[in-house]
């Protein structure tokens, strides 16, 4: 006698969702930051992710960027703008000291 088959449901995301380059994940934020790092490093700085809190990405500017008078402009007009273009779910980027 054949046993009845049951369908198992999975809560794991679909492969397409897991690799969506526009999803707000640490990997995707790092990918975007990697595009910006050469420009920051040329001026003696860098950036690291501290936390992703909902749609807010918290970063730490390092090296010369951490103490630069133009760091707010770099953060908002450079880093935040690029992240929002590439990952629409990002609402804001905040600098953490």
């Amino acid at each position: 006698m054949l046993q009845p088959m049951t369908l198992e449901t999975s809560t794991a995301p679909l492969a397409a969702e897991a690799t969506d380059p526009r999803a707000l994940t640490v990997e995707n934020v790092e990918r975007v930051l990697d595009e910006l790092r050469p420009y920051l490093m040329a001026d003696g700085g860098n950036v690291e992710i501290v936390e992703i809190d909902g749609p807010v990405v918290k970063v730490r500017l390092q090296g010369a960027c951490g103490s630069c008078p133009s760091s707010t402009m770099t953060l908002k007009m450079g880093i935040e703008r690029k992240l929002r273009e590439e990952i629409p779910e990002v609402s804001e980027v905040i600098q953490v000291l």
Side-chain angles (χ1 to χ4, degrees), residues 23-81:
L24 180 53
T25 64
V26 172
E27 294 80 16
N28 288 340
V29 172
E30 281 289 350
R31 176 185 48 81
V32 174
L33 293 179
D34 284 345
E35 294 176 24
L36 300 173
R37 281 192 172 101
Y39 303 105
L40 297 171
M41 289 177 174
D43 289 330
N46 203 347
V47 63
E48 73 171 329
I49 300 171
V50 174
E51 179 183 12
I52 297 177
D53 185 13
V56 177
V57 178
K58 297 179 182 179
V59 299
R60 181 174 294 117
L61 295 175
Q62 300 174 324
C65 289
S67 60
C68 177
S70 300
S71 64
T72 301
M73 186 69 79
T74 298
L75 184 71
K76 293 296 179 180
M77 299 304 294
I79 296 170
E80 181 177 278
R81 192 193 74 187

Side-chain angles (χ1 to χ4, degrees), residues 8-30:
E8 291 184 31
T9 58
S10 173
T11 58
L14 297 174
E17 291 175 15
T19 60
D20 182 3
R22 297 176 59 83
L24 180 53
T25 64
V26 172
E27 294 80 16
N28 288 340
V29 172
E30 281 289 350

